[in-house]
Amino acid sequence: MMDIDAKTARLAKLMEERLDLRGANFAAKVRRAGRLLPRHVREAAGVLVRATPLMDHPRLSRQVNPSELEAAAGIVEKYLLDVNPWDRRRGIAVSWLSGLAFSLLALVVAVVLVLVWRGYL
């Protein structure tokens, strides 16, 4: 029988390191991740989140398929290990700077158009 608490703790640590997500536990981090995770990874993480309380109960733990949990944990772990945190941060910075540059360009164009319209240029 696999130790789901150890697995989810490892995945929660990976989510914090790779995606900069904060939260009290794995379930909170999955909720905060939202669309940072692709759909198939979110679904696999959801399987783990739903199975965690069941594994603590002796009778309900029989309803959980251990091979399904292993597969779900493998999907989430593979995705998180493939995420490059520095590349992700760089992408966020480039996106923010490009939006800022576009806004400044639009402002300059608007000022020039107003000056032409008013007859100053």
Side-chain angles (χ1 to χ4, degrees):
M1 178 78 51
M2 83 178 248
D3 184 19
I4 193 167
D5 293 329
K7 212 42 134 161
T8 56
R10 173 167 162 57
L11 293 174
K13 185 174 184 261
L14 276 173
M15 289 178 88
E16 189 168 332
E17 291 171 356
R18 301 295 176 121
L19 299 177
D20 293 326
L21 289 173
R22 304 286 183 253
N25 54 22
F26 179 68
K29 289 178 183 180
V30 168
R31 264 193 313 275
R32 293 197 75 177
R35 295 206 171 200
L36 288 176
L37 299 174
R39 178 179 289 170
H40 73 283
V41 177
R42 272 195 317 254
E43 290 171 357
V47 167
L48 293 170
V49 168
R50 286 187 299 276
T52 301
L54 295 178
M55 294 299 285
D56 293 335
H57 194 279
R59 287 189 180 177
L60 294 179
S61 66
R62 295 184 210 156
Q63 295 177 1
V64 178
N65 184 356
S67 61
E68 183 182 355
L69 291 181
E70 284 290 337
I75 289 170
V76 175
E77 187 172 12
K78 181 182 180 316
Y79 175 77
L80 291 174
L81 289 175
D82 287 344
V83 171
N84 183 349
W86 289 107
D87 189 37
R88 187 175 161 275
R89 289 181 191 123
R90 184 177 43 225
I92 291 170
V94 166
S95 175
W96 184 79
L97 288 173
S98 64
L100 180 65
F102 180 76
S103 297
L104 288 174
L105 179 66
L107 178 66
V108 168
V109 167
V111 167
V112 168
L113 286 175
V114 167
L115 290 175
V116 168
W117 179 52
R118 304 281 298 245
Y120 295 112
L121 288 182

